[in-house]
Amino acid sequence: MASRKRRLRGDNGKPCKLAKTDRPPVHRHVAALILARGGSKGIPLKNIKMLAGVPLIGWVLRAAVDSEMFDSIWVSTDHTDIENVAIAWGAKVHRRSPEVSKDSSTSLETIQEFVTSHPEVDVVCNIQATAPCLHPFHLKEALEMITQHGFDSVFSVVRRHQFRWQEIKKGSGELTKPFNLDPANRPRRQDWNGELCENGSFYFTTRDLIINKGLLQGGKVAYYEMLPEYSVDIDVDIDWPVAEQRVLRYGYFGRVTPEVVRLMFCRVSGCLTDGQIFVSKSGAEMVSFNIRDITGIRMLQEEKVEVVLLTSTEDPVVQAPADNLAKSLGCQVVQVGGEPMDDLLPMVEKRELQWKDVAYMGNDKPDVKVLNLAGLSAVPSDAPVVAINAAKYTCHSLGGKGAMREFAEHIVLQKQKAKSQMNQDRIDNSSF
């Protein structure tokens, strides 16, 4: 696990060492709260807009639920559509009043209303819906700073290496001045620690600070540093495609660990073929397979993953070649209809597996449901946008040009990372 630095500030403003408090542990009700107003001006109903196949708010709700650190998880909203999505992703709903649903309403006012309505809550974690790369371990480690180390508020930051200058109004005749550098001695990036900036992912605060002092950051306060790759924010439409690519690589996709993947479905047409059909002198139609993709299937089989090739009733040309390929690889070929889920669900249930145990590679709109549901899913780089948005991994390679091999390597790499992480967790736990 990458290191994340945590510091607090004492009364003298100087950094202090992090130490466990001597106070006996007392259970306090900790609630996660996501503010999701329906009247977003930048992007209408932004909080439930689909991001990489998942409603935006779904990313942070999944992280909150899987952290297993909260006594309750809430979404504060004024919109029925957002309420329905929140419930579907495991949250309770606080219907906020019109008074805190205005454009001018502040986060503090909305949180104060929630805390007042729920007297059982002692600590609130305000999670921003626009932080889709949030992971459970971020929340777990930050909350422990309150429950185990005695802080009153903890908020997330990211380290930035940006030189800042004073803004000057046009026509004022003033000259700009540097805020954080000496132009005559500009430091190299590697020689400068940079600055800590709020990234807006979350804010942990005690009830007392919220109600009695009107603060989200105060008392014994500390920050939790997140790595830049996890610091994603979405305010306007132009942020969306960048966020999608980031979340596909660094987002949290659930408790699925790659080593439990036991079944792999792969479309033949468009994934193992490149769309070309060859016609022999006799008029027979043929397709070709890439040796790299065949090697990728064998790699998965060596990892004890059952591979099933999928053909379609609408594409009979690949049926015979797929049968021959499957025979040489020792795997099964299944013909699916226009809704693959109907054909694949019985196979998953027969093997007594859950969808988190399944990997899926598809390439078009009919595959969207399974791409969303499978624990690991991928599409070739030339797949249509609707399939790319639903998949958890987008290959750099084209269909029939090594995409299957690339996905197989991704699965194996994730498995190795997961094993390494488990070993590191054992070391970390044994150190306490």
Side-chain angles (χ1 to χ4, degrees):
M1 184 178 295
S3 62
R4 288 164 296 280
K5 300 175 183 177
R6 300 181 288 275
R7 296 289 185 270
L8 67 139
R9 294 282 173 181
D11 293 336
N12 59 2
K14 295 182 179 180
C16 304
K17 291 184 179 180
L18 186 65
K20 286 194 174 183
T21 178
D22 294 330
R23 291 180 295 179
V26 177
H27 179 75
R28 292 182 285 176
H29 185 111
V30 182
L33 177 65
I34 296 91
L35 307 182
R37 191 169 65 93
S40 172
K41 296 300 182 183
I43 306 174
L45 286 180
K46 171 179 64 177
N47 295 307
I48 56 173
K49 181 178 178 180
M50 298 298 284
L51 178 72
V54 174
L56 178 59
I57 199 173
W59 290 100
V60 294
L61 284 174
R62 178 159 56 192
V65 170
D66 285 0
S67 72
E68 297 183 333
M69 298 297 289
F70 299 104
D71 296 289
S72 59
I73 298 173
W74 297 83
V75 170
S76 171
T77 187
D78 60 341
H79 200 283
T80 301
D81 290 346
I82 296 177
E83 176 178 359
N84 293 336
V85 172
I87 293 173
W89 282 86
K92 298 179 181 180
V93 174
H94 170 78
R95 290 291 290 203
R96 64 173 68 178
S97 68
E99 287 73 23
V100 295
S101 300
K102 305 172 184 176
D103 292 341
S104 58
S105 299
T106 66
S107 295
L108 176 60
E109 291 171 340
T110 310
I111 295 171
Q112 285 175 329
E113 179 190 78
F114 169 80
V115 173
T116 301
S117 300
H118 299 278
E120 75 279 5
V121 173
D122 300 302
V123 178
V124 173
C125 177
N126 173 214
I127 303 174
Q128 303 281 24
T130 52
C133 286
L134 184 68
H135 282 241
F137 74 82
H138 294 135
L139 299 169
K140 180 177 184 294
E141 293 180 358
L143 178 56
E144 287 175 350
M145 297 173 71
I146 288 182
T147 59
Q148 297 182 19
H149 303 287
F151 296 113
D152 300 307
S153 58
V154 178
F155 59 96
S156 59
V157 300
V158 64
R159 192 173 297 274
R160 303 290 189 198
H161 291 78
Q162 296 173 327
F163 296 131
R164 297 182 295 109
W165 291 75
Q166 180 182 358
E167 182 180 1
I168 300 299
K169 294 182 179 180
K170 291 182 179 180
S172 67
E174 297 180 51
L175 298 178
T176 187
K177 298 177 182 179
F179 278 137
N180 63 347
L181 81 151
D182 177 3
N185 297 284
R186 293 175 65 92
R188 299 182 304 166
R189 180 183 177 91
Q190 57 266 39
D191 296 329
W192 181 43
N193 288 333
E195 296 181 327
L196 296 177
C197 305
E198 291 185 25
N199 69 354
S201 290
F202 59 80
Y203 299 82
F204 280 94
T205 317
T206 62
R207 179 187 190 87
D208 177 65
L209 281 174
I210 295 169
I211 297 296
N212 298 325
K213 298 181 181 179
L215 295 172
L216 293 179
Q217 296 158 296
K220 190 177 179 183
V221 61
Y223 64 76
Y224 176 88
E225 183 177 350
M226 294 173 63
L227 297 178
E229 52 263 38
Y230 299 115
S231 298
V232 179
D233 196 11
I234 304 173
D235 289 319
V236 293
D237 275 325
I238 197 173
D239 297 331
W240 211 265
V242 176
E244 283 199 318
Q245 292 305 310
R246 184 76 70 85
V247 79
L248 287 170
R249 185 168 184 180
Y250 298 111
Y252 174 67
F253 291 93
R255 291 174 176 166
V256 176
T257 51
E259 71 265 28
V260 304
V261 170
R262 296 165 56 187
L263 177 63
M264 166 75 181
F265 293 117
C266 179
R267 282 275 194 180
V268 175
S269 181
C271 294
L272 296 181
T273 67
D274 59 5
Q276 297 186 77
I277 297 178
F278 303 95
V279 182
S280 67
K281 290 184 179 180
S282 64
E285 296 180 327
M286 299 175 293
V287 296
S288 63
F289 299 112
N290 193 301
I291 188 63
R292 289 180 294 170
D293 292 324
I294 294 174
T295 302
I297 293 174
R298 290 190 172 126
M299 287 172 58
L300 293 177
Q301 291 175 325
E302 290 174 0
E303 294 289 332
K304 309 301 181 185
V305 177
E306 179 187 359
V307 179
V308 177
L309 304 183
L310 305 179
T311 60
S312 171
T313 54
E314 299 175 357
D315 193 9
V317 175
V318 303
Q319 188 64 54
D323 288 337
N324 292 332
L325 177 63
K327 185 176 181 180
S328 67
L329 292 171
C331 59
Q332 183 181 1
V333 177
V334 173
Q335 192 175 72
V336 297
E339 185 54 75
M341 179 69 73
D342 296 338
D343 300 294
L344 302 184
L345 183 58
M347 297 181 62
V348 174
E349 293 177 344
K350 181 179 179 181
R351 289 163 173 77
E352 298 183 348
L353 300 177
Q354 299 180 41
W355 281 104
K356 68 180 182 62
D357 307 318
V358 177
Y360 186 86
M361 188 168 197
N363 75 317
D364 216 329
K365 186 175 181 179
D367 300 310
V368 166
K369 284 186 179 180
V370 191
L371 288 169
N372 272 320
L373 196 57
L376 292 174
S377 62
V379 293
S381 63
D382 55 346
V385 173
V386 66
I388 290 176
N389 287 345
K392 298 175 177 66
Y393 181 82
T394 301
C395 298
H396 295 90
S397 304
L398 301 172
K401 300 292 185 180
M404 178 64 224
R405 169 63 182 263
E406 182 181 338
F407 187 37
E409 290 178 342
H410 175 73
I411 294 173
V412 173
L413 178 61
Q414 293 301 108
K415 179 176 181 178
Q416 292 171 347
K417 286 182 177 180
K419 287 183 177 179
S420 175
Q421 181 61 61
M422 287 191 296
N423 291 334
Q424 184 61 49
D425 288 343
R426 293 191 190 101
I427 294 174
D428 292 342
N429 292 333
S430 66
S431 65
F432 288 103

